[in-house]
């Protein structure tokens, strides 16, 4: 039942460099994501990880190459229904409670009535039920990222794209965050792509993609030693 | 690096720099046009005052002094253009025999002017009938004696036998007040009524008839030298012109060492105009400065609204090792672009605007130093508005704090001190203080060189304005920050199913939204108060001019040739809305001859405006209804009530001229009320009665005047009337425009038209700009949250709901607070500037159309700002990145 969610063929992305020239951030990237995939996207800062994630999620468009989402419907329907995003920096809405934040994608999708129930269920599943009425400023970094993950899952997407979600957490908290997430995703068929610097976290994923100056080398997980 | 920065600034922060430049441009443009207005208003006031003075100086030679020496002294005085001789002789009375009866008058005067007198003083004698050479008789005297051209009149000289002269023509003496004034009386003395009986002789004839009287009774004849000054040599400003002319007069008096008395008519007219000039500058301050302040505030709001973004940029620069000085100099570049660009734009726009609005006198003012000062002020504003916020931030922020772009909700000091309520309270107190002194803002006492403006009066509206702005901020901050049901109700129409989220998101941007609302409210308030004040002023100016002129267009006739006879012609003119005849007769109250107006009290109000202030003891409608109900009723002036100790209901016998026997007969009237002023009536005593009763008791229903309300421009109706009446010299057509030019003692003479155009255009622009700009400027602040919303699946339409939410908040807050404070400010201005009005207005005149258009434009500008800031379909992931 493995469906192919995203297929990218030879995509490139460049930006104006502010000096009449252009800088190339992605070069001829080929990749595909199937349901249930666990992918770690690693590479030094500035190598193009975020740019790739944005393109995979339909937030940005490549300047060359083709990208398709064969089983996710039309481009307009990608978010919030099919793809959820988690960011490195705090991305919760400061004025909304944790519970409301989790329900936000459902409201945006027009499922207002189900929003509260779904949000309660998800918070429960993440062991965050008691935080439902707290404002983001009252949460710790780890709690806020788990809420953000719950929000990404709220509407039941097929793909989660997380851009350094633990970048601002200490390693214990980061590990705990991933325990929860991987637990939650087990047997759901939801694919997960995580951009990260943290080897320990990358090691927990089945696949590792390495970005280097805009080139992508993909493959199954190989330890650094080899 | 500097160059790169400029490019970056211009590219990325174009909106902010452009916004700041627009603010500077608005402030400069407003200042420039207001300055042009002020310069031009004083110049035109001087010109108008000068043109309204027929005889600049009347130099009366004291008996026995050497007239030749005085003439020589005058000739040596620079700026004297022409000197003419006028001889006056008092006489005991005139007699005439016509149609078998003999009429006799009381004392009068016989005057003579030298040759060419009329060429320098054309306004003194207006021929009505017969010749304009030979013996001329004043119209009133001719009526009293029942004589006309060709008839003979006997002059009762003092101490000499009567002598006959043959009348060649009948004339009007429009300037009799000045011509026959008692020269040498202190300026505070009560004005003397001109003589009722006047005869004008050719100079040679006067000499032969009165030489003997002059020798026998030198106290009964006078020689005056009438002087015309070079008007184009006067300074343009009335205050300066006054000082100049009175100085000249003092100088001349010193030279002639008491040999003559001088009536400085020009000086006293300029003295009276000084008050108007001061009021013009007061108006400038009251009506113009809030606009300038608003433009300045707008500029500051624009420059400081980029705080979050700029903090980040500065933090980055610091990380790269830039020093405070470098950062400041980089910002100075931005400031220079905004300041210089804005000032150039504003000055250019103002000058173009000035050229488009006639009467602003752009060309004359362009070389003036005032303009340079204004332009420097604009430049200064641009730099300060930009650099001050940068400087503040640099002083208090460190790079790590700058990374936190979430605004900290620290209650500002003014809110903790309840400064808004304190200011409003203080405004009320100062207003009450001004009220208790009778709103005497401008003092320019007659005959005194010093003038004063009570600048304390400005404190009340200024405090009110500030207080209202702060209160607006407090109340809207309360509503927005609390994120309660009121906020949700307001944004619901715009946000629909997203209401909760939109309201919550807005509640986190309280500071920016509050400033946006306050700016919009201030701009709307400015537009509202200015337009209400201007409309009220114009309405009142019209009432005032109607009071002087009688109505929009008045046809003045005489008893022999009453304008009422042509009523049908006048009423049928296409520009006539309503035409109403009015009798103008004379009646003796005891020994006092007064003007008597015979009206139809039920109809007069259709042809002219009758203000409540014209009457005492009741409003206009009550008093007129009383008159209509009492056929023999009469309204008299306050003075007459005092003099004759009248009680309501008393019978008062007036002696009226009967058309059947040309004699004055007593006619009983019933005293029913007091009239203080009446259309065309003189400032002193007069009478108002029912025309029907006067007609019945005098045997003639002739209505000397016709009052007309115009459907079109009164000047055009006057033209129509003149054309329809033909060249009949005894029927004079006058419109309110001419009257407004002649009124010297009230500011109505100042053409507010230019000021109004400036103000109304600017306030609309400012209101629209405030609303639009404040919304558009939130763009950068919103981009990150829009980026996140977009990433978690919000569609562009849903993002726009957030913008509509903001828009509706700004519109709702701006409209409510702006209109409220605008109406209150207008009311305050009208009260404080009561001295401008004569009589004071009964109610504010609301310019509905203008207010409607202005509010529409504000709404349109908000809609435009929303559409402009609407997130595009192409995504903007840059703002999802960490800085
Ligand atoms: N909108 C943009 N405009 C210009 N340059 C960009 C933009 N977005 C990303 N870049 C550049 O692309 C490169 C890759 O960035 P990114 O994808 O964020 O890398 P990573 O996430 O691996 O750190 C960086 O050098 C960055 O400066
Ligand atoms: Mg990144």
């Amino acid at each position: 039942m493995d469906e192919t969610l995203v297929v990218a063929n030879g995509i490139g992305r460049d930006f104006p460099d502010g000096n009449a020239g252009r800088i190339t951030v992605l070069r001829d990237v080929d990749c595909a994501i199937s349901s249930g995939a666990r992918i770690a996207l690693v590479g030094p800062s500035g190598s193009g990880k975020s740019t790739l994630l944005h393109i995979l999620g339909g937030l940005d468009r490549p300047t060359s190459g083709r990208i398709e989402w064969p089983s996710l419907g039309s481009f307009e329907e990608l978010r919030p229904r099919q793809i959820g995003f988690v960011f490195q920096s705090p991305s919760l809405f400061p004025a909304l409670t944790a519970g409301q934040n989790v329900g936000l994608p459902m409201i945006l999708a027009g499922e207002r009535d189900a929003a509260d129930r779904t949000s309660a269920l998800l918070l429960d599943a993440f062991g965050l039920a008691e935080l439902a009425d707290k404002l983001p400023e009252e949460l710790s970094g780890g709690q806020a990222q788990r809420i953000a993950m719950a929000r990404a899952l709220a509407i039941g997407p097929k793909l989660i794209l997380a851009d350094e979600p633990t970048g601002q957490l200490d390693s214990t908290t980061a590990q705990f965050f991933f325990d929860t997430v991987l637990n939650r995703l087990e047997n759901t068929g939801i694919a997960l792509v995580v951009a990260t610097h943290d080897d320990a976290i990358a090691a927990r994923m089945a696949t590792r993609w390495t970005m280097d100056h805009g080139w992508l080398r993909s493959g199954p997980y190989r330890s650094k030693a080899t | 690096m500097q160059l790169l920065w400029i490019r970056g600034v211009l590219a990325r922060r174009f909106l902010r720099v452009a916004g700041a430049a627009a603010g500077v441009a608005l402030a400069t443009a407003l200042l420039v046009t207001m300055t042009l207005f002020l310069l031009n208003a004083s110049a035109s006031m001087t010109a108008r005052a000068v043109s309204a003075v027929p005889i600049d100086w009347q130099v009366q030679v004291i008996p026995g002094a050497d007239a030749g020496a005085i003439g020589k002294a005058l000739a040596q005085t620079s700026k004297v253009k022409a000197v003419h001789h006028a001889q006056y002789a008092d006489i005991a009375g005139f007699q005439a025999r016509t149609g078998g009866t003999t009429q006799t008058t009381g004392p009068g005067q016989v005057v003579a002017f030298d040759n060419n007198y009329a060429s320098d003083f054309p306004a003194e004698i207006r021929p009505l009938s017969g010749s304009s050479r030979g013996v001329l008789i004043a119209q009133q005297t001719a009526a009293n004696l029942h004589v006309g051209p060709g008839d003979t009149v006997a002059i009762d000289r003092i101490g000499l036998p009567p002598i006959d002269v043959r009348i060649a023509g009948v004339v009007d003496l429009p300037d009799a007040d000045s011509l026959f004034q008692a020269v040498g009386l202190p300026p505070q003395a009560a004005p003397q009524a001109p003589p009722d009986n006047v005869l004008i002789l050719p100079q040679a004839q006067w000499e032969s008839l009165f030489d003997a009287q002059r020798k026998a009774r030198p106290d009964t004849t006078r020689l005056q030298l009438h002087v015309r000054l070079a008007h184009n040599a006067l300074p343009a400003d009335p205050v300066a012109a006054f000082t100049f002319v009175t100085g000249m007069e003092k100088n001349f008096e010193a030279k002639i060492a008491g040999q003559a008395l001088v009536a400085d008519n020009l000086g006293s007219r300029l003295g009276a105009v000084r008050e108007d000039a001061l009021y013009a500058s007061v108006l400038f301050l009251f009506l113009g400065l809030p606009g300038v302040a608003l433009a300045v505030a707008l500029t500051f709001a624009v420059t400081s609204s980029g705080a979050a973004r700029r903090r980040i940029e500065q933090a980055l620069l610091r990380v790269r090792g830039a020093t405070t000085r470098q950062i400041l100099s980089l910002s100075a570049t931005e400031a220079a672009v905004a300041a210089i660009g804005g000032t150039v734009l504003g000055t250019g726009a103002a000058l173009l605007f000035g050229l488009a609005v006639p009467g602003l006198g752009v060309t004359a003012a362009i070389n003036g130093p005032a303009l340079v000062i204004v332009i420097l002020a604009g430049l200064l504003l641009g730099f300060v508005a930009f650099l001050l916020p940068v400087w503040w931030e640099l002083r208090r922020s460190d790079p790590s704090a700058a990374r936190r772009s979430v605004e900290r909700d620290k209650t500002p000091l003014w809110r903790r001190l309840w400064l808004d309520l304190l200011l409003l309270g203080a405004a009320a107190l100062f207003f009450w203080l001004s009220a208790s002194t009778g709103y005497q803002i401008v003092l320019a006492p007659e005959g005194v060189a010093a003038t004063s403006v009570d600048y304390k009066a400005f404190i009340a509206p200024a405090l009110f304005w500030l207080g209202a702005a702060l209160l607006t901020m407090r109340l809207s901050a309360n509503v927005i920050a609390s994120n309660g049901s009121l906020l949700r109700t307001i944004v619901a129409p715009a946000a629909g199913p997203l209401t909760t989220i939109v309201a919550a998101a807005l509640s986190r941007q309280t500071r920016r939204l509050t400033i946006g609302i306050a700016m919009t409210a201030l701009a709307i308030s400015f537009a509202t108060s200015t337009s209400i004040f201007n409309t009220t002023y114009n309405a009142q100016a019209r009432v005032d001019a109607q009071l002087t002129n009688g109505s929009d267009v008045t046809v003045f006739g005489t008893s022999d040739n009453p304008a009422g006879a042509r009523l049908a012609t006048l009423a049928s003119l296409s520009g006539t809305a309503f035409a109403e005849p009015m009798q103008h007769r004379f009646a003796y109250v005891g020994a006092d001859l007064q003007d008597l107006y015979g009206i139809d009290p039920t109809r007069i109000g259709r042809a002219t405006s009758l203000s409540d202030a014209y009457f005492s003891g009741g409003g206009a409608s009550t008093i007129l209804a009383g008159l209509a109900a009492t056929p023999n009723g009469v309204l008299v002036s306050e003075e007459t009530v005092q003099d004759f100790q009248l009680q309501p209901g008393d019978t008062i016998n007036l002696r009226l001229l009967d058309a059947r026997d040309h004699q004055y007969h007593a006619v009983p009237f019933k005293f029913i009320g007091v009239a203080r002023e009446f259309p065309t009536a003189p400032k002193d005593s007069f009478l108002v009665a029912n025309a029907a009763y006067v007609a019945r008791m005098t045997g003639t229903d002739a209505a000397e005047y016709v009052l007309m309300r115009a459907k079109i421009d009164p000047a055009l109706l006057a033209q129509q009337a003149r054309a329809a009446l033909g060249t009949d010299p005894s029927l004079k057509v006058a419109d309110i425009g001419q009257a407004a030019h002649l009124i010297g003692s009230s500011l109505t003479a100042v053409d507010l038209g230019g000021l109004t155009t400036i103000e109304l255009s600017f306030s609309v622009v400012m209101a629209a700009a405030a609303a639009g700009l404040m919304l558009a400027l939130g763009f950068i602040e919103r981009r990150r949250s829009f980026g996140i919303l977009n990433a978690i699946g919000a569609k562009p339409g849903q993002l726009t709901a957030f913008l509509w939410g903001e828009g509706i908040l700004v519109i709702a807050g701006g409209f409510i607070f702006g209109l409220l404070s605008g109406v209150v400010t207008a009311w305050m201005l009208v009260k404080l500037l009561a001295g401008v009005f004569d009589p004071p207005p009964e109610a504010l005149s609301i310019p509905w159309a203008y207010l409607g258009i202005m509010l529409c434009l504000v709404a349109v500008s908000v809609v435009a700002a929303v559409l402009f800031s609407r997130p595009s379909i192409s995504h903007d992931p840059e703002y999802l990145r960490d800085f």
Side-chain angles (χ1 to χ4, degrees):
Chain A
M1 64 148 273
D2 261 20
E3 311 177 82
T4 304
L5 304 178
V6 189
V7 187
N9 277 318
I11 55 172
R13 178 72 166 105
D14 47 36
F15 293 101
D17 65 355
N19 243 337
R22 299 187 73 82
I23 53 164
T24 305
V25 175
L26 294 183
R27 302 160 201 270
D28 197 19
V29 171
D30 294 323
C31 63
I33 303 169
S34 311
S35 57
R38 297 289 178 271
I39 300 167
L41 181 59
V42 299
S45 258
S47 57
K49 301 186 295 293
S50 299
T51 307
L52 179 58
L53 284 186
H54 291 154
I55 290 177
L56 292 176
L59 279 180
D60 194 8
R61 303 293 270 167
T63 30
S64 60
R66 281 171 61 84
I67 179 161
E68 273 163 31
W69 294 270
S71 47
L72 297 183
S74 75
F75 180 75
E76 283 70 33
E77 290 165 32
L78 291 180
R79 285 160 293 113
R81 292 216 173 270
Q82 312 288 5
I83 300 177
F85 262 99
V86 179
F87 301 96
Q88 171 181 13
S89 55
S91 61
L92 298 181
F93 271 85
L96 301 178
T97 63
Q100 286 173 319
N101 261 293
V102 174
L104 191 53
M106 308 210 55
I107 295 179
L108 292 176
E111 296 175 20
R112 215 145 82 103
D113 302 337
D116 285 350
R117 197 164 31 85
T118 311
S119 138
L121 280 175
L122 269 169
L123 286 175
D124 222 27
F126 276 88
L128 297 167
E130 75 279 13
L131 299 181
D133 293 327
K134 290 237 187 314
L135 286 172
E137 63 196 21
E138 300 168 296
L139 303 177
S140 72
Q143 288 169 334
Q145 284 307 67
R146 279 186 288 156
I147 299 281
M149 181 56 82
R151 182 174 71 184
L153 286 168
I155 209 158
K158 292 189 174 152
L159 171 61
I160 300 276
L161 300 169
D163 191 356
E164 305 195 37
T166 56
Q168 293 183 354
L169 306 180
D170 62 69
S171 63
T172 325
T173 318
Q175 286 297 343
F176 177 66
F177 172 79
F178 268 96
D179 289 344
T180 327
V181 172
L182 292 175
N183 254 328
R184 173 70 200 160
L185 294 187
E186 209 161 339
N187 301 324
T188 55
I190 301 174
L192 172 67
V193 182
V194 180
T196 181
H197 283 301
D198 187 337
D199 250 348
I201 285 166
R204 301 181 62 169
M205 312 296 263
T207 310
R208 168 188 285 234
W209 291 353
T210 308
M211 289 293 309
D212 186 10
H213 293 91
W215 305 100
L216 175 71
R217 285 182 287 113
S218 58
Y221 174 71
R222 272 163 283 136
S223 97
K224 260 190 176 168
T226 58
Chain B
M1 178 175 176
Q2 191 89 0
L3 248 175
L4 247 172
W5 169 270
I6 296 173
R7 266 235 312 263
V9 158
L10 287 182
R12 254 188 316 167
R13 305 188 52 191
F14 175 74
L15 185 64
R16 195 169 313 281
V17 175
V24 174
L26 269 178
T28 321
L30 191 53
L31 267 178
V32 168
T33 33
M34 295 293 289
T35 310
L36 291 181
F37 164 78
L38 195 63
L39 293 177
N40 194 53
S42 10
S44 77
M45 254 184 293
T46 307
R48 200 170 284 164
V50 166
S51 74
V53 178
I55 307 170
D56 293 339
W57 288 354
Q58 285 169 257
V59 180
Q60 184 164 312
V61 182
I62 65 166
D66 177 4
I70 295 167
K72 207 175 279 164
L74 273 176
Q76 282 163 5
T77 306
S78 62
K79 313 287 192 285
V80 167
K81 229 178 98 187
V83 181
H84 287 278
H85 286 218
Q87 308 267 16
Y88 296 74
D90 296 333
I91 50 102
F94 297 112
Q95 280 178 27
R97 175 171 310 192
T98 47
T101 58
T102 303
Q103 286 81 34
T104 309
T105 71
Q109 297 197 26
V110 176
V111 296
F113 302 109
D114 65 11
N115 299 332
N116 298 331
Y117 184 87
S119 65
D120 279 308
F121 301 108
E124 296 304 319
I125 299 173
R126 194 164 67 94
L128 290 180
S129 60
S131 165
S132 58
R133 297 172 161 278
V135 179
L136 307 175
I137 187 164
Q139 175 201 347
Q140 179 64 42
T141 319
N144 291 345
L145 292 172
H146 309 155
V147 296
D151 291 334
T152 301
V153 169
I155 307 172
D156 277 341
R157 292 173 295 181
I158 294 172
L160 290 171
I163 185 147
D164 282 350
V165 292
R166 178 179 279 270
I167 303 296
V170 179
V171 297
D172 181 27
L173 300 171
D175 188 37
D177 283 341
S178 159
L179 198 57
F180 295 103
Q181 70 179 310
V183 176
L185 290 186
Q188 289 82 6
Q192 288 202 327
D196 292 325
N197 301 299
V198 174
L199 209 61
I200 302 161
L201 299 183
Q203 197 179 17
Q205 196 176 2
W206 189 95
E207 292 288 350
S208 69
L209 296 191
F210 287 97
D211 197 38
Q213 178 176 332
R214 179 167 56 192
K215 293 215 170 87
R217 290 284 308 274
D219 59 311
T220 63
T221 67
R222 293 170 295 285
L223 168 64
Q224 284 189 4
L225 304 180
H226 290 180
V227 179
R228 182 161 194 81
L229 302 174
H231 289 167
N232 51 9
L234 295 179
D237 174 53
V239 179
F242 170 79
T243 316
F244 182 82
V245 171
T246 44
M248 239 171 91
E249 188 261 342
K250 291 268 149 49
N251 192 290
F252 168 68
E253 272 188 348
K255 257 196 246 168
I256 54 172
Q259 294 285 80
L261 302 168
V262 182
D264 180 6
N265 299 334
L266 184 59
S268 32
R269 173 53 68 101
L270 286 171
V273 170
R274 279 181 311 169
E275 188 172 307
D276 295 357
L278 292 174
Y279 263 120
S281 33
V282 165
L283 278 178
F284 168 75
L285 291 173
F286 264 113
L287 302 179
L289 281 194
V292 175
L294 186 62
V296 171
L298 211 57
T299 312
F300 270 90
V302 168
T303 52
S304 55
S305 72
R309 173 76 204 205
R310 186 164 41 228
R311 269 202 290 276
I312 291 157
E313 285 174 354
Q314 278 169 10
L316 281 178
L317 279 169
R318 282 181 172 233
V319 169
R320 284 193 221 149
T323 63
T324 298
R325 262 194 56 194
Q326 279 172 320
I327 293 178
L328 265 181
S329 77
L330 291 177
S331 295
T333 315
E334 266 187 309
V337 172
I340 297 172
T343 310
V344 167
L345 210 73
T347 314
L351 293 180
L352 274 182
F353 185 85
L355 288 176
V357 176
L360 267 185
V362 170
T363 32
I366 265 178
N367 321 324
L371 215 57
V372 176
I373 295 173
V374 166
I375 291 173
L376 287 180
L379 284 176
L380 189 70
L381 164 68
F383 278 100
V384 171
F386 245 100
L387 296 184
L388 209 57
V390 176
W391 173 248
W392 282 336
E393 273 158 31
L394 280 176
R395 296 203 46 191
R396 61 163 195 226
S397 68
D398 58 290
S400 67
R403 288 194 137 237
R404 260 182 276 124
S405 63
V406 182
E407 66 184 47
R408 279 263 149 261
D409 267 325
K410 216 173 58 193
T411 314
L413 188 62
W414 66 263
R415 285 189 65 166
R416 280 178 280 146
L417 292 178
W418 291 90
L419 195 60
D420 44 350
L421 296 189
L422 286 178
L423 286 173
L424 289 178
L429 184 73
F430 275 100
F431 184 72
W432 175 79
L433 281 178
S434 289
S436 65
T437 57
Y439 309 113
Q440 287 285 335
I441 296 188
V442 169
L443 286 178
E446 257 180 76
V448 180
T451 57
S452 71
V453 174
D454 179 12
Y455 288 101
K456 282 202 303 302
F458 294 95
I459 297 176
L463 292 183
F464 174 79
W465 223 55
L466 270 179
L470 291 184
L471 185 67
T472 303
M473 292 179 73
R474 173 192 297 280
L475 294 179
S476 21
N478 281 349
V479 170
I480 299 173
S482 71
N483 188 14
S485 58
L486 180 54
L487 180 66
R488 286 197 290 273
T489 314
I490 297 173
V491 298
L498 297 181
T499 298
T500 331
I501 302 166
V502 170
L506 294 185
S507 75
R508 300 302 292 199
Q509 307 176 57
T510 304
R511 220 174 81 88
R512 182 172 62 80
L513 288 173
T514 304
I515 291 178
I517 291 176
M519 283 292 143
T520 310
L522 279 180
I524 291 180
S525 162
F526 174 59
T528 309
S529 61
T530 318
S531 63
I532 294 183
F533 179 84
N534 285 336
T535 317
T536 307
Y537 179 91
N538 289 338
Q540 208 52 31
R542 188 159 179 144
V543 170
D544 195 11
Q546 281 188 347
L547 176 65
T548 307
N549 189 58
S551 56
D552 289 348
V553 176
T554 304
V555 182
F556 297 94
T558 58
S559 303
D560 298 334
N561 194 1
R566 312 293 293 274
L567 182 64
T569 312
L570 294 170
S572 64
L573 295 175
S574 67
T576 307
F578 200 84
E580 172 72 7
M582 180 166 85
Q583 294 170 345
H584 175 232
R585 311 280 178 85
F586 294 93
Y588 280 101
V589 187
D592 187 20
L593 189 66
Q594 294 191 4
D595 297 75
L596 169 75
Y597 298 93
I599 61 164
D600 178 345
T602 59
R603 292 164 58 89
I604 182 101
R606 290 194 248 174
T608 186
S609 309
L610 293 171
S611 164
D612 287 344
Y614 297 171
F615 306 97
S616 71
S621 51
T622 327
I623 299 277
L624 288 178
L627 186 59
T630 321
N632 63 346
V634 66
L635 308 175
V636 309
S637 54
E638 207 90 61
E639 252 174 68
T640 312
V641 177
Q642 297 290 323
D643 291 351
F644 295 89
Q645 296 293 311
L646 293 177
Q647 297 294 329
D650 281 358
T651 296
I652 166 172
N653 282 314
L654 305 176
R655 283 189 300 123
L656 296 179
L657 190 68
D658 196 301
R660 291 157 293 209
D661 60 2
H662 299 294
Q663 298 292 327
Y664 280 93
H665 294 290
V667 176
F669 282 86
K670 192 161 149 195
F671 166 58
I672 59 163
V674 172
R676 289 207 196 99
E677 308 199 65
F678 203 74
T680 75
K683 289 281 171 206
D684 50 350
S685 303
F686 62 90
L687 308 153
V688 180
N690 283 302
Y693 183 71
V694 173
R696 201 168 77 239
M697 303 313 282
T698 58
T700 170
D701 63 357
E704 285 75 4
Y705 296 172
V706 172
L707 309 179
M708 294 193 281
R709 194 182 284 281
K711 264 201 294 237
I712 55 174
D713 179 2
L716 293 180
L717 176 59
Q719 270 175 25
Q720 289 184 356
R722 274 183 212 111
L725 294 175
T727 49
D728 186 341
S730 59
L731 288 183
K732 200 178 106 206
V733 181
D735 66 80
I736 48 169
Q738 294 164 293
H741 277 245
L742 292 175
I743 304 169
S745 64
S746 91
L747 196 69
T748 339
V750 175
D751 186 8
L752 262 196
L755 183 67
T756 312
T757 325
I758 300 170
E759 298 259 329
L760 298 190
S761 337
F762 272 95
S763 44
V764 161
V765 169
M766 218 114 67
L773 214 54
M774 292 314 293
L775 268 183
L777 283 175
F779 187 48
I780 288 167
E781 275 71 22
R782 279 187 298 257
R783 275 170 92 173
R784 185 176 161 78
S785 51
F786 276 15
I788 295 171
L789 276 169
N790 174 38
I792 63 174
K795 301 279 171 277
Q798 292 175 316
L799 294 182
T800 314
F802 285 79
L803 296 172
W804 288 125
E806 284 187 33
I808 215 167
L809 257 188
V810 168
I811 288 184
F815 277 24
I816 294 173
F817 292 113
L819 286 176
L820 271 180
S821 77
V823 171
V824 174
T825 310
W827 176 80
M828 261 190 177
L829 288 181
V830 169
K831 284 284 174 203
L832 286 173
L833 294 171
V836 170
F837 300 108
D838 178 28
E842 275 142 35
L844 298 179
S845 309
I846 313 279
W848 296 108
Y850 173 80
L851 290 183
I853 291 172
M854 187 261 301
L855 295 182
C856 278
L857 282 177
V858 172
V860 164
S861 128
V862 167
V863 171
V866 167
L867 296 182
F868 170 77
S869 347
R870 198 176 41 170
S872 56
I873 308 295
S874 75
H875 301 301
D876 192 13
E878 187 190 354
Y879 284 83
L880 293 174
R881 290 166 194 279
D882 255 340
F883 293 103

